[in-house]
Amino acid sequence: MKGVIAAGDAQTAAAGEEILKRGGNAADAAIAAVFASFIAESVMTNIGGGGLAIVGDVERDKAEVYDFFVDMPSGEITPKIDFHEVTSDYSPAQDSLYIGRGSVAVPGLVAGLSALADEHGTLPLKTLLEPAIRMAREGVTLSAPQEYVFEFLLPIYEDTPEINAMYKKRDGSAWCAGEKNTFPGLAENLDQLAEEGPLSFSQGSIARAILADQKAHGGLITESDLANYKIRRLEPIRISYHETELLFPAMPSTGGGLIAFTLKLLESVDLAQMAHLGVDHIQALAEAMRLTNIARPLWEASASSEQERIGRLLGDKNIQLYRQKLDTILSGESPPSEPLFPREPDHTTHISVVDEAGNFVGVTTTAGESAGFVVDGTGICMNNMLGEADLEPQGFHTLAPGARLTTMMSPTLLLQDGKPRMVLGSGGSSRLRAAILQAVSNVIDFGMPLEKAVHLPRMYFGAGILHLEGGIPEKRAQGLEELGYKVNRWPDLNMYFGGTHAVAFENGHWVAVGDRRRGGAGIEVE
């Protein structure tokens, strides 16, 4: 077997498969798949966004995190800033967010993927771009889950004539599931990137197009913002959970530390003796999630070092304090009030890859909901991270120039006896924490195969509401209501609960599973 890959769309996964078959390693396949996702999953991510990756290299015997998330730009805010509100219809709820040139943070994806190629790949970047360029020219088919997203984000894709034309057919109707769409402008830009190299996006022809567009239309990105953007290489957070070692990204990922915290709380509860998704099991998960949100300010407060931040949240003293709180709640004491947090970017996707040598990559990317325009003279769309209230808790455009924004994204690794045994990640705003948590627990606590661990129903607790995915028996929902929970029943599996794309070693070989909730696909490459 040459490797395994799981991704948010079959077309994305096929790009990684192609590279593995051509002799590429895990990094090569992941990079090719991410570039392909900008076409195959363009309502989830785009080349103008940011990401996080967890990477393992067999020869170096090392795992590290690559942070190439977005930065606050340094341009002057004037009355001419292009920053305006749109409303998306999530039915039955509506959601307001901001788009336009002034919503664009400094992108990091091209810098990050190029660094991964240089430092961990074996094939030239030009080769890794070939599947994405071909897909952009020949067209990709919209999946049903992406059509679902596209429909409630339609106001963004209708905001300017250029992006409207990109996503509408000649008769003016919207792109529909099962139909093909091409992205010829983006194909030309990817060709430029292949010929000029990564500097084209920071100092070359593509950078000049982005800067001219920003200047002409009231954006904030400057020449120095693009030229001076830096990726970061970080040590992962490491915890043990029932004799399994787990690795998560630290800041700018808020999600990594919070998932680690929830797991450490649950380690004191014997989940394996509970009926899976029975009342006791769901209550334990819900209360651990509640306490994690109560502890969250400890994680997000400023710190002199990452070790200080990790120590105050995951140190033995703090974990023991919260385990005692969890035990008293599960014994019948009323739970404390849970703080509320703003909604976070939902439109995120993940890719997991392991190659035949055991090298691995898990990479999660996002561009928010897209900023609602196409860079003048190109086929490039950009992120709207500065239009996300949760990423700027002190108010829009208040972060210092160059500040790295935070993200809930958390590509995750499981090790047993020092060897990789599972790579996973998820999209889904705050719910991605619950999605990753439950997949991990299903494998470790309940001994489930990966396919079952990913596709069994999930629960999520937040903002005082217990959400139960379709397939959880009504009797259990009623039992939870009798305990005092406000229960929201979902009729089916739904992308609201995340999209966990994972690979795992089981029964002597690697398997790959893409979460059906988000149109995912897994491929085992012979």
Side-chain angles (χ1 to χ4, degrees):
M1 181 177 289
K2 295 183 181 297
V4 288
I5 180 169
D9 187 273
Q11 298 161 112
T12 300
E17 176 189 25
E18 176 182 330
I19 295 301
L20 286 170
K21 286 182 174 179
R22 292 172 67 174
N25 66 8
D28 295 321
I31 293 160
V34 173
F35 276 114
S37 74
F38 302 150
I39 298 99
E41 303 174 61
S42 64
V43 299
M44 295 292 191
T45 187
N46 68 49
I47 197 170
L52 293 174
I54 190 162
V55 184
D57 190 306
V58 170
E59 289 188 2
R60 302 180 198 183
D61 192 25
K62 183 179 180 181
E64 60 186 332
V65 171
Y66 277 64
D67 161 23
F68 41 97
F69 201 54
V70 298
D71 284 349
M72 182 69 191
S74 60
E76 181 182 0
I77 299 172
T78 72
K80 294 183 179 180
I81 186 173
D82 175 21
F83 187 73
H84 55 281
E85 187 177 16
V86 295
T87 300
S88 296
D89 188 356
Y90 286 72
S91 187
Q94 290 187 323
D95 186 40
S96 292
L97 50 96
Y98 287 80
I99 61 173
R101 270 76 173 186
S103 73
V104 182
V106 182
L109 273 171
V110 171
L113 296 174
S114 300
L116 282 175
D118 286 344
E119 297 166 20
H120 293 276
T122 60
L123 300 178
L125 182 63
K126 186 174 183 178
T127 301
L128 305 182
L129 284 162
E130 288 176 6
I133 293 170
R134 184 176 64 248
M135 291 164 62
R137 287 203 173 109
E138 297 178 1
V140 289
T141 303
L142 189 70
S143 69
Q146 288 190 67
E147 180 187 46
Y148 174 73
V149 174
F150 179 52
E151 286 178 349
F152 61 67
L153 293 182
L154 201 55
I156 294 174
Y157 292 100
E158 294 177 335
D159 193 68
T160 58
E162 294 78 16
I163 199 168
N164 189 39
M166 183 181 287
Y167 284 90
K168 291 290 185 69
K169 293 178 286 190
R170 289 185 178 181
D171 63 4
S173 59
W175 187 19
C176 296
E179 296 178 341
K180 273 197 168 186
N181 193 16
T182 60
F183 297 85
L186 182 55
E188 291 182 12
N189 296 126
L190 293 175
D191 260 335
Q192 286 176 272
L193 180 60
E195 293 302 322
E196 298 177 27
L199 286 180
S200 66
F201 212 87
S202 58
Q203 300 176 41
S205 59
I206 297 175
R208 289 192 293 271
I210 292 171
L211 293 169
D213 181 88
Q214 286 275 301
K215 184 176 180 180
H217 299 289
L220 300 174
I221 295 177
T222 68
E223 182 178 358
S224 63
D225 292 332
L226 293 180
N228 297 329
Y229 177 88
K230 303 293 184 186
I231 68 164
R232 301 174 183 176
R233 297 160 188 81
L234 310 171
E235 284 294 317
I237 298 170
R238 295 173 179 263
I239 67 163
S240 63
Y241 180 73
H242 295 313
E243 300 181 354
T244 298
E245 187 177 14
L246 290 102
L247 277 63
F248 304 95
M251 285 296 188
S253 169
T254 55
L258 297 178
I259 299 168
F261 181 81
T262 310
L263 284 167
K264 292 306 290 181
L265 294 191
L266 288 169
E267 196 172 26
S268 66
V269 180
D270 195 354
L271 297 182
Q273 297 304 310
M274 299 177 177
H276 185 262
L277 291 178
V279 171
D280 289 349
H281 180 211
I282 293 174
Q283 183 188 20
L285 293 175
E287 295 307 328
M289 292 177 189
R290 187 200 303 268
L291 290 174
T292 300
N293 280 339
I294 290 171
R296 179 173 169 178
L298 280 174
W299 178 237
E300 295 181 335
S302 61
S304 60
S305 68
E306 277 307 303
Q307 288 308 309
E308 178 195 336
R309 189 192 302 275
I310 292 168
R312 72 187 179 204
L313 181 72
L314 298 175
D316 291 343
K317 184 177 180 180
N318 193 51
I319 292 296
Q320 189 57 36
L321 173 66
Y322 276 90
R323 281 178 175 173
Q324 291 171 358
K325 292 180 180 180
L326 178 61
D327 182 61
T328 59
I329 294 169
L330 296 181
S331 297
E333 185 176 293
S334 297
S337 298
E338 180 200 14
L340 298 179
F341 297 93
R343 190 193 65 83
E344 305 186 7
D346 190 38
H347 308 292
T348 306
T349 192
H350 178 82
I351 294 163
S352 296
V353 190
V354 173
D355 64 27
E356 60 185 345
N359 303 302
F360 62 84
V361 177
V363 56
T364 313
T365 69
T366 186
E369 290 86 4
S370 176
F373 69 91
V374 182
V375 173
D376 285 347
T378 76
I380 293 173
C381 297
M382 302 293 284
N383 70 81
N384 72 319
M385 296 299 185
L386 303 185
E388 302 279 0
D390 64 290
L391 299 183
E392 298 178 272
Q394 305 305 316
F396 291 121
H397 303 121
T398 56
L399 291 175
R404 185 69 42 103
L405 276 67
T406 59
T407 174
M408 197 57 69
M409 299 188 301
S410 183
T412 298
L413 171 69
L414 277 70
L415 296 171
Q416 286 185 337
D417 300 322
K419 296 180 180 180
R421 286 297 177 260
M422 187 174 176
V423 184
L424 73 160
S426 178
S429 186
S430 294
R431 282 102 54 204
L432 71 82
R433 288 158 39 200
I436 293 170
L437 168 76
Q438 287 170 86
V440 167
S441 177
N442 286 348
V443 169
I444 296 175
D445 292 309
F446 295 95
M448 293 181 189
L450 186 62
E451 175 74 31
K452 188 175 181 181
V454 167
H455 286 126
L456 278 180
R458 296 184 188 136
M459 55 74 64
Y460 170 72
F461 181 82
I465 299 174
L466 179 58
H467 297 267
L468 301 181
E469 202 170 19
I472 296 176
E474 172 60 21
K475 186 176 181 180
R476 297 180 182 180
Q478 293 173 358
L480 290 157
E481 286 178 327
E482 290 171 3
L483 290 175
Y485 291 100
K486 182 179 181 180
V487 176
N488 184 23
R489 298 160 172 83
W490 292 70
D492 303 297
L493 300 188
N494 192 282
M495 66 162 50
Y496 175 87
F497 292 85
T500 305
H501 313 311
V503 298
F505 191 79
E506 55 186 43
N507 299 322
H509 68 283
W510 283 93
V511 298
V513 175
D515 198 328
R516 292 192 295 268
R517 295 168 179 85
R518 294 197 170 209
I523 299 176
E524 298 166 22
V525 185
E526 300 296 337

